[in-house]
Amino acid sequence: MTTPQRPVRRSLAARTAAFRERVDPARIGRRSVRRRAKGMTAADVAAALEDARFFARQDSGHEDAADDVRGLAELGEWERIAQLLAAGAPGTVYDPDADVVVQADLAAEAAARDAEPREAAGIAASADKLQALRDVTLEQTEPDKGDEAIRD
C-alpha cells in the first residue's frame, strides 16, 4: 500500500502569472455601441439613441435594472456619437478608428495591460518572500512542552 503524496504547491508567482482581464460592464457597453455604430450616419445614430433612451426609461421602472451600469454607458456613448456626427459634415458616417476618444481608450487599456502583469509579479515576489520568512521563523522557534506532537 502506498501513501498518497502531498501535491506540490506552486509559488504565488506561478499562480498569478496568468493575466485575467477584469470585467467592466460600462466598457463592454461602450464597445458594443461603437461596433453597432460603425458606418452609421447621423440619422441612424439618432434613431439608435432614441431606442437607447426608450430602454433606459423602461429600465428605470424596474428596481433590479434601474442602476444598470452597462445600459447607462451605452446611452452615454450613443449620445456622444450623436454629438460627434452632428458636429461633422453632412453625410459623415461613424468610424471608431477615426474617433479620438476611442483611440485614447485603447491606448489607456494597452498601458493598463502592460502594467498589470508587472504589478502582479511584484506582489507575488513579495508574497514568496513573506512565505520564506515565515518558514524560516517556524524552524527557528523552540517548541513548548507538549508541542512536539502537534509539530509532528
Side-chain angles (χ1 to χ4, degrees), residues 133-152:
L133 286 172
R134 182 181 147 259
D135 292 341
V136 168
T137 304
L138 284 176
E139 290 174 4
Q140 292 176 352
T141 57
E142 292 295 324
D144 288 338
K145 200 167 235 178
D147 285 347
E148 294 84 9
I150 295 172
R151 269 184 100 174
D152 292 339

Side-chain angles (χ1 to χ4, degrees), residues 76-97:
E77 191 65 11
W78 280 119
E79 289 172 346
R80 187 188 70 77
I81 292 171
Q83 290 174 354
L84 181 70
L85 290 178
T92 304
V93 295
Y94 179 70
D95 182 16
D97 296 332

Side-chain angles (χ1 to χ4, degrees), residues 95-110:
D95 182 16
D97 296 332
D99 190 346
V100 294
V101 173
V102 173
Q103 298 309 313
D105 283 351
L106 291 174
E109 290 172 14

Side-chain angles (χ1 to χ4, degrees), residues 15-92:
R15 287 181 279 163
T16 59
F19 174 73
R20 293 186 182 160
E21 190 171 346
R22 291 185 177 88
V23 175
D24 181 7
R27 189 179 81 198
I28 293 169
R30 287 189 300 271
R31 283 183 172 178
S32 172
V33 168
R34 291 169 186 164
R35 277 193 305 272
R36 285 184 278 164
K38 187 174 185 173
M40 285 186 169
T41 63
D44 297 334
V45 170
L49 175 59
E50 286 306 311
D51 288 344
R53 286 180 178 154
F54 171 78
F55 289 120
R57 283 191 303 273
Q58 293 296 314
D59 287 347
S60 67
H62 300 283
E63 185 177 320
D64 60 330
D67 59 345
D68 177 29
V69 176
R70 179 177 174 170
L72 294 174
E74 286 183 10
L75 178 61
E77 191 65 11
W78 280 119
E79 289 172 346
R80 187 188 70 77
I81 292 171
Q83 290 174 354
L84 181 70
L85 290 178
T92 304

